[in-house]
Amino acid sequence: MGVGDVSKRILLGRKLRSAQLGETLLPKRIALPVFASDALSSVAYAPDEVFIMLGIAGASAYAWSWKIGLAVALVMFTVVASYRQTVHAYPSGGGDYEVATVNLGRTAGVTVASALLVDYVLTVAVSISNAAQYAASAIPDLIGHEVLVATIAVVLLTAMNLRGVRESGSFFAVPTYLFMVAILGMCAYGFVLMLNGSLPDAESAELHIRPEEGWEGPLNQIALVFLLARAFSSGCAALTGVEAISNGVPAFKRPKSKNAATTLLLLGLIAVSMMMSIIVLANQMAIRFVDPHKLEQLRTAGGDAVAEDYQQHPVISQIANGVFQDFSPGFYFVITVTGIILVLAANTAFNGFPVLGSILARDGFAPRALGSRGDRLAYSNGIVFLAVMAIVLIILFDAQTTKLIQLYIVGVFVSFNLSQLGMIRHWSRHLATEKDPGERRRMQRARAINTFGLGLTSVVLVIVLITKFLAGAWITILAMGFFFLLMQAIKKHYDRVSEELAADETDKALPTRVHAIVLVSKLHKPTLRALAFAKATRPNALEGVYVSVDDKETAKLLEEWDDRNTGIPLKVLHSPYREIIRPIVEYATAIRQANPRGVVAVYIPEYVVGRWWEQLLHNQTALRLKGRLLFTPGVMVTSVPYQLRSSELAVEREEREEHRVRPGDLRRGRVEDERDRQITR
Amino acid sequence: MGVGDVSKRILLGRKLRSAQLGETLLPKRIALPVFASDALSSVAYAPDEVFIMLGIAGASAYAWSWKIGLAVALVMFTVVASYRQTVHAYPSGGGDYEVATVNLGRTAGVTVASALLVDYVLTVAVSISNAAQYAASAIPDLIGHEVLVATIAVVLLTAMNLRGVRESGSFFAVPTYLFMVAILGMCAYGFVLMLNGSLPDAESAELHIRPEEGWEGPLNQIALVFLLARAFSSGCAALTGVEAISNGVPAFKRPKSKNAATTLLLLGLIAVSMMMSIIVLANQMAIRFVDPHKLEQLRTAGGDAVAEDYQQHPVISQIANGVFQDFSPGFYFVITVTGIILVLAANTAFNGFPVLGSILARDGFAPRALGSRGDRLAYSNGIVFLAVMAIVLIILFDAQTTKLIQLYIVGVFVSFNLSQLGMIRHWSRHLATEKDPGERRRMQRARAINTFGLGLTSVVLVIVLITKFLAGAWITILAMGFFFLLMQAIKKHYDRVSEELAADETDKALPTRVHAIVLVSKLHKPTLRALAFAKATRPNALEGVYVSVDDKETAKLLEEWDDRNTGIPLKVLHSPYREIIRPIVEYATAIRQANPRGVVAVYIPEYVVGRWWEQLLHNQTALRLKGRLLFTPGVMVTSVPYQLRSSELAVEREEREEHRVRPGDLRRGRVEDERDRQITR
C-alpha cells in the first residue's frame, strides 16, 4: 500500500510538529484591527440611525445631530476610560463576565453572559444586514434582495467557521486599516472641498422631510427631550464592540495590560473621529435620511412624495457618492471596505461565541464539552445555533438595520452597567486593605472613573429601555431571560451531581475479586486478542461467553474453541429469539449477585474501521451492549479494539481535525506557527 | 423515594416475568387471517384492473372478463399447489429467499430478496392508495384528496409500527373474517337477486365505453391476444401476497407444514371464489369501469362524454351500491371492511420488512444490527425507509392504484419463478439419493407440480414484462437492481473484513505486562471506584493520570490526592490549550512504545445518568476519548460506570423498550403470553 505509507509518513510528520503549536502574542498595531473591527464597523450604521430618529421631526431637527454625536462621543470616552481600568485589574481576559462574577456574584455574571450571548446573535444579524444594504447601494441589481443576500452571507460565514479558517493578524489588519483609510480619507477630502467651498450636495439634498404626525411645528420641551433621547440611544449603537479588547488582554504583547489600555484609547479616538466627521459632512452636504419603511416622509421640492422606486442609500454611501463625484473608484472603494469590515464584525461573533462558551463551561453554566478546545461537535453546534438565530432575525426583520438596532443596544448596556458596578466593588475591596498612599490614590481615581462610567451608562440604559422597549428591546430581554434560566439550570444540575458524587470515607473498600468474561461472537483475531488481553490481567475467574441463536453455528464454534485449546472455558447462553444483549446483561448481573463484593469485567472485542458506512455495518450491537452494561452495578466494560486496515483513514482524518483552526483561536493567543505549517504540509 | 421504590418493584416484577416470554403457535383459523390479509385484499383492485384493460376495446370486450378470471384462478391454484410443496420442504419459514439461496445460490437468493424489498414498498403504496379510493367512494368529501388521505394513512401506520403495536390473532381475525363475510355475503345476496331476476343494474350501467383509438371495431388476432394478455397480467395482481404463508410456517401449530399447506389451499379457494363472484356480478350488473385518467372514454347513452365531475367508484363499491340499494348500512359495511383489509395488507409489509431484514442480516447482506431483535434503531430506520418510499410512490403516481399496479406484479413473479426453479432443483437433488419408492413417487409428483408452476409463472412473467415494462415495470427493475448491488456490496465488505480477521497461528502470543492508567478529572466517587476496580485487577503498573489545564485546580487536586493516600502515583499531563484528549492519547502511545509487548489499560470513570439532556451535559469528553483510544494499538479501554440516581429512569425505560412488541413478532411465533402481561401490569 504505497499510498498508505506515504500518507502515514505525512501524518507522522505532522503529528510530531503538533507539539510545536505555539503562542503568538499580538503587537498593538495588529491587536487594534483584530479587536476593533466590531466597534469601528458601528460607524457604518450609527450616524444613519441618529438621522432617522431626528428626521421624525423634519430635517430642521438635523441641527441637533452633531450635539447628539458629541454626547455619544462622551459616552464612548467614558466607557473607554472605564475599560482601561478593567484591563489593568483583570488581565486574564475574562472581561465583563469575570468582573461581574468576581465582584457581584454568580447571578450578575450569568446575567452578563446571557447579555453577551444575545449580543453575539445581534452582532451577526445587524452587521450582515447592514453589509447587504451597502452591497445593494453599490450593485443596484441587489436592491430588494437584501434578505437573500444577508442570508447567503451568514451561511457562507457559517461554512467558513465550521470548516475552520486560519485567522491571522493580516486577515484583520488589511481590511480594518483600509476601512480607516477609506473613511478618514473620504472625510478629509470632504473637509478640503468644504474649505474650498466646493463640497457638493448629497443626492438627497433637494428633498424635504415631512415630519411625522404629531411632530410638526415647534416641539414642546417634553417632545424635544424624547426625540433627542431616541436619537441618542440609537447613536449609542456606535459603542457596540468596544468591550472586545477587555476579553483579549492575554493575546497582547507584554506589558499586556498597558498595551491593551493604549489600544483601547486609540480605538475610541478613531471611532469618535470617524463618527463625528461623518455627521458633520452629512450635515454640510444636506443629506436627507429617513426610516426605509417610511420613505413617504421624503418629499420633492414641489411637496410631492418621492417616486415609488426611490432608492435611499446609507449615509456613508451618499457622502462617498458626493465627495467622489468625478472619481467613481473612490466611491466603490469606500463601499467595498465598509461591506468587508461589517462582515468581519459579524465574524468576530463567530469567534467570540466559542470563547465565551468555554469560559461558561469551565464555570459549569454550559455543557462541559464546550470547555475543551478539541470538541468540534460542540463548537459546530454553537456556530450553527448562532447562524440560525441570526438568519431568523434577518428574515423576521427584513434585513433592516434600523429595526434590528432596536434590539441591539440593551444587551450591550446591561453588561456595561454590571461591569462598571463590579469594578467599583473591586476597587472598594482593594482600598480596604491597600496601605500604599500612591497606590490608594491610583485606585481612588480608578474608582471615580468607574463610578462616573456607571452613572452615565446607567442613564443610557434607562434611556434605551424607555425609548426602545416596545420597538424590540423586549425581545432581547426575553431572550436574555431564557439564556439566564438555562444557564442556572445547567449549573444546578452540575452542582447536584457533584454533591451526589462527592467522595466520602465509605468509598475505600476494595473489590475482592475480578470475574472476567470475554464476549465471543466468532473465533477470529479480535476475539483472540480480547482473550489474550483479558488473560494478561490475571483475573480470579476468566471465561468466554457466547450467545447461541443457532445450534449449527454454536456447534461449529464449540469445535473451533476446543481445537484452539485456549485453556479458557466457554459459557454458552441460549437465546431462542436472537436477542444478544439481554442474556449477557442477565449473566453479568447473576455473577455479580453471587459475589456482591467482586467486580465483573466484561471484555468486548471491537473492530475499528475508518469509514462512516463501515461504522453502520459493525459494532452496533457492541455499542448498545456497552450502553446497557453501564447501568449494571459492579460491572466494568472493556473495549479491546482490533484495528482493521481501513482504520488508518480515520486516524488520518482525526489528525487533520486536530490541526484545524477553530474560531476564536487567534484572540485566545493560540496560533500555529506559520513556518511550521509550511514544512509539514 | 417512595415512587422510585414502587417503580423498581414493578420493574423487577416485570423483569422476572420476562423469562416467561413464550411461543404461541397459531391454529389454522387464526393463521389464515394473519397471513391472508395481503392476498385477499387483492380482490379489492384486481377485478377493476381486468375491466380497465378490457375496456380499452369497449364494453363488448368485457365478455372476456370471466375467462380472464378463470385464467388467473388457474395461475392462483398452480401457485398455491407449488407453495404447498415449499412449506413441506422448507418448514423453517425462509420462504422464497431460502428456497432460491439453497438451491440456486447466492445470486438468485439476493435477486429474490431485492424483489421482496421492492414488493414491500409497493404493497404499502398500492394497498393504501386503493383504500383511499374506497374511503372516497364512501365519503364524497374526500374525493380529489386521495393523495393526502393515503399519505396520512401511511404516516399513521408508520407511527403505529414505530411505537410498537401488539399484534394478536384477533387483531387480524376480526377484520379478515368480516371482509370474507362482507364480500361473499354481498355476492351471495347478489346471486339470489340474480336468480330472482331482480338484480339491479350498476350505477354506471347506462354508460357506453368508447374504445381507445386503434381499438375500435372487430380486433385482429394479434391485437386481441395483446389485449387479453394485458388484462390477464393486470388480473394477476390477485396473486400478490400468496407467498406470505411460506414465510410463516414456524408460527403454525403442529403439524406445522401440513397445517400451513391446508391454510394455503383454503386461502386460494377463498380468494378465487371472491374474485370470480365479483367478476360475474359486475358483468351481470353491466358495470362500466375505465382508467380513472381516461374518463372521457365513458359516454352517456346520447354519445356525449360524461360530466366533468363524474365519480367512478371501484367495482366492489358499485356492486355493493347496487345490491344493497335499499339497505345503505350494507354498502357502508362492505366499503369499511374493504378499506380496513387494505390497511391491514399494508401493515403486513411493515411486519415483513424487519423479518426479511433480520434474515438478510444473518446472511451478511444487510447490516448485522438488523439481525438482533433488540435493535430498535435498526427497526425504526427500516420502517421509516419503507414509509418514505411508499409516500414518494403515492405522490408520484397520484395515489392511482391502476398506475401503481404496473410496477407491482413484476417483483412478485420474479420471486415466484426463482422459487419454483429452486424447488425443482430441490426435488431433483433429493431424488438423486432417495431410495424409498413411495417417497420417490411423492417427490416426483411435487417436482411435476413445481415444473408446471414454473412453466405457467414464467409465461406470466414474460407477459407481464412485455405488457408492463414501459408502463412502469422498468422502475421496479431499476429499484431491484439497486438493492441487488447494495446487498452484494455489503456482503463483499463483510467477507473482506472476515478474511482480514480470520485467526491464524501467529495470534497466540500473550501480552507480557499490563500498564493501567486511571483517568482522573476530580477526586470523587466515580474516580475512587475506577481506582479501586483498576487496583483489583492487579496490573503490573498502576497510576492515575490527570490533565492539567489550570494550575490552581491542579494544586488542589494534588493536595486531595495526597490526603487520600491511595498508594497510587498520580501523573500530571500539562495542557496549556485546554486539550484533554490529545495528551492522554499521546501518553498512552508513549507507554505502549516503551513496552511494545505490553498492554495499556485505560480506565475511564463514567457517570451514568438517565435523561437524554443529562447525557449532553456529561461524558462527552469520555466518549470522544474512547473513540480516539480505540485507534491506538495495544490499548484497551475500560469504562467504570458510576450509576447516579437518575440512571434508574433509563433502566426502567430500557426494560419497557425490551418488552415492547416489534413489527413481525407475531408471524415469527414470538408472542408474549397475554395472561402473563395481565399479572405483571
Side-chain angles (χ1 to χ4, degrees), chain B residues 9 99 234 269 288 307 321 325 360 385 427 471-472 474 477 550:
Chain B
R9 221 171 308 133
V99 173
S234 283
L269 283 171
R288 302 288 176 260
N321 198 22
Q325 229 170 356
L360 288 173
F385 172 81
W427 297 126
W474 64 271
I477 292 167
D550 182 298

Side-chain angles (χ1 to χ4, degrees), chain B residues 314-513:
Chain B
V315 170
I316 289 181
S317 185
Q318 294 198 30
I319 293 176
N321 198 22
V323 168
F324 297 119
Q325 229 170 356
D326 312 315
F327 182 63
S328 68
F331 167 78
Y332 285 109
F333 176 65
V334 170
I335 301 305
T336 307
V337 293
T338 308
I340 291 175
I341 201 87
L342 284 165
V343 174
L344 222 52
N347 198 47
T348 60
F350 281 100
N351 286 318
F353 195 84
V355 179
L356 179 62
S358 76
I359 294 172
L360 288 173
R362 186 196 62 199
D363 292 355
F365 292 109
R368 288 229 182 91
L370 283 171
S372 72
R373 179 184 175 276
D375 200 319
R376 206 168 82 91
L377 202 66
Y379 270 65
S380 309
N381 288 341
I383 286 169
V384 169
F385 172 81
L386 186 63
V388 168
M389 296 309 297
I391 289 176
V392 166
L393 284 177
I394 286 170
I395 292 173
L396 232 58
F397 290 90
D398 207 18
Q400 292 289 350
T401 320
T402 309
K403 288 184 184 172
L404 286 165
I405 286 284
Q406 316 298 322
L407 282 70
Y408 198 11
I409 315 165
V410 186
V412 180
F413 277 88
V414 166
S415 32
F416 282 171
N417 270 290
L418 286 172
S419 163
Q420 310 277 15
L421 189 61
M423 287 308 293
I424 296 172
R425 281 266 191 101
H426 170 86
W427 297 126
S428 301
R429 210 177 55 238
H430 281 258
L431 276 168
T433 56
E434 184 62 58
K435 297 281 179 257
D436 176 43
E439 194 61 14
R440 282 188 68 85
R441 224 169 308 126
R442 220 186 49 70
M443 284 183 176
Q444 273 157 344
R445 207 194 55 212
R447 185 169 64 174
I449 291 172
N450 285 124
T451 310
F452 181 71
L454 174 65
L456 197 58
T457 51
S458 64
V459 170
V460 177
L461 180 61
V462 170
I463 293 175
V464 169
L465 278 175
I466 292 173
T467 57
K468 304 212 174 292
F469 188 80
L470 289 178
W474 64 271
I475 299 173
T476 311
I477 292 167
L478 218 66
M480 279 173 58
F482 170 75
F483 284 122
F484 182 86
L485 293 177
L486 183 66
M487 286 189 269
Q488 294 283 25
I490 289 174
K491 176 72 177 173
K492 213 166 138 189
H493 171 78
Y494 277 131
D495 285 348
R496 208 175 48 228
V497 167
S498 164
E499 202 179 296
E500 196 176 337
L501 296 182
D504 50 43
E505 294 313 305
T506 63
D507 299 313
K508 290 216 164 178
L510 214 65
T512 50
R513 58 180 266 130

Side-chain angles (χ1 to χ4, degrees), chain A residues 494 525 617 630 637 639 643, chain B residues 494 501 617 630 637 639 643:
Chain A
Y494 278 132
K525 285 178 178 168
L617 296 177
L630 288 183
V637 186
S639 302
Q643 290 85 9
Chain B
Y494 277 131
L501 296 182
L617 296 178
L630 288 182
V637 186
S639 302
Q643 291 84 9

Side-chain angles (χ1 to χ4, degrees), chain B residues 6-298:
Chain B
V6 170
S7 65
K8 206 168 176 179
R9 221 171 308 133
I10 292 172
L11 198 80
L12 291 175
R14 291 179 73 188
K15 201 162 160 41
L16 277 171
R17 299 285 157 182
S18 72
Q20 299 173 10
L21 278 171
E23 265 190 339
T24 305
L25 297 178
L26 305 172
K28 288 197 287 293
R29 66 171 194 287
I30 300 294
L32 177 67
V34 166
F35 293 105
S37 63
D38 186 7
L40 292 185
S41 72
S42 320
V43 303
Y45 46 84
D48 305 40
E49 299 305 316
V50 173
F51 286 115
I52 286 175
M53 285 304 159
L54 291 175
I56 288 173
S60 60
Y62 279 8
W64 291 97
S65 60
W66 65 273
K67 289 173 194 157
I68 300 278
L70 285 183
V72 172
L74 173 68
V75 179
M76 172 75 92
F77 284 123
T78 311
V79 168
V80 164
S82 299
Y83 274 103
R84 280 165 57 88
Q85 312 312 314
T86 306
V87 296
H88 281 295
Y90 291 91
S92 56
D96 294 342
Y97 169 73
E98 188 181 345
V99 173
T101 306
V102 171
N103 297 300
L104 306 174
R106 181 169 131 172
T107 309
V110 178
T111 308
V112 168
S114 40
L116 288 175
L117 285 175
V118 174
D119 246 34
Y120 282 132
V121 175
L122 282 163
T123 300
V124 177
V126 167
S127 304
I128 294 291
S129 294
N130 201 225
Q133 278 153 26
Y134 276 94
S137 85
I139 309 166
D141 282 343
L142 298 181
I143 289 168
H145 302 105
E146 284 89 350
V147 173
L148 187 68
V149 172
T151 305
I152 291 174
V154 174
V155 171
L156 288 180
L157 260 186
T158 309
M160 210 175 84
N161 278 288
L162 285 179
R163 185 75 193 74
V165 170
R166 241 190 96 59
E167 283 186 339
S168 62
S170 56
F171 178 87
F172 287 95
V174 174
T176 309
Y177 281 117
L178 283 181
F179 178 67
M180 292 182 201
V181 168
I183 299 294
L184 293 176
M186 173 185 79
C187 292
Y189 184 52
F191 288 130
V192 170
L193 291 179
M194 189 173 89
L195 294 177
N196 269 351
S198 58
L199 183 69
D201 274 354
E203 56 196 67
S204 58
E206 287 175 10
L207 300 173
H208 294 271
I209 299 178
R210 193 185 60 182
E212 281 188 21
E213 236 172 289
W215 294 92
E216 308 92 344
L219 298 172
N220 64 34
Q221 209 65 24
I222 295 172
L224 182 64
V225 167
F226 189 64
L227 181 76
L228 297 182
R230 281 175 77 178
F232 168 71
S233 66
S234 283
C236 283
L239 274 85
T240 55
V242 172
E243 78 290 352
I245 289 179
S246 72
N247 297 311
V249 187
F252 278 80
K253 273 221 162 131
R254 276 160 239 283
K256 291 175 187 265
S257 292
K258 193 167 160 290
N259 282 333
T262 312
T263 311
L264 199 46
L265 187 61
L266 260 173
L267 167 66
L269 283 171
I270 296 168
V272 165
S273 41
M274 281 184 175
M275 181 184 64
M276 288 310 295
S277 307
I278 288 168
I279 288 177
V280 170
L281 268 186
N283 271 312
Q284 290 294 328
M285 295 171 73
I287 276 175
R288 302 288 176 260
F289 196 84
V290 298
D291 188 334
H293 273 73
K294 296 180 183 155
L295 282 183
E296 68 279 5
Q297 272 188 271
L298 288 178

Side-chain angles (χ1 to χ4, degrees), chain A residues 549 575-579, chain B residues 21-23 371-373 668-671:
Chain A
V549 293
S575 173
Y577 298 114
R578 305 185 65 80
E579 285 174 314
Chain B
L21 278 171
E23 265 190 339
S372 72
R373 179 184 175 276
R668 279 188 282 189
R670 187 191 192 290
V671 190

Side-chain angles (χ1 to χ4, degrees), chain A residues 562-638:
Chain A
D562 287 344
D563 287 352
R564 277 265 151 193
N565 201 9
T566 51
I568 300 169
L570 181 66
K571 171 95 187 167
V572 177
L573 305 173
H574 287 278
S575 173
Y577 298 114
R578 305 185 65 80
E579 285 174 314
I580 306 288
I581 291 167
R582 198 207 304 226
I584 296 171
V585 173
E586 283 173 359
Y587 185 60
T589 310
I591 295 175
R592 161 76 173 180
Q593 272 163 359
N595 193 346
R597 292 205 49 220
V599 182
V600 184
V602 181
Y603 288 83
I604 305 180
E606 278 187 52
Y607 328 143
V608 181
V609 289
R611 304 185 188 87
W612 65 267
W613 54 264
E614 290 180 321
Q615 280 295 344
L616 295 181
L617 296 177
H618 297 286
N619 298 328
Q620 297 297 322
T621 306
L623 211 67
R624 284 201 63 229
L625 178 61
K626 278 196 279 184
R628 281 292 277 123
L629 285 172
L630 288 183
F631 288 98
T632 315
V635 168
M636 59 182 176
V637 186
T638 304

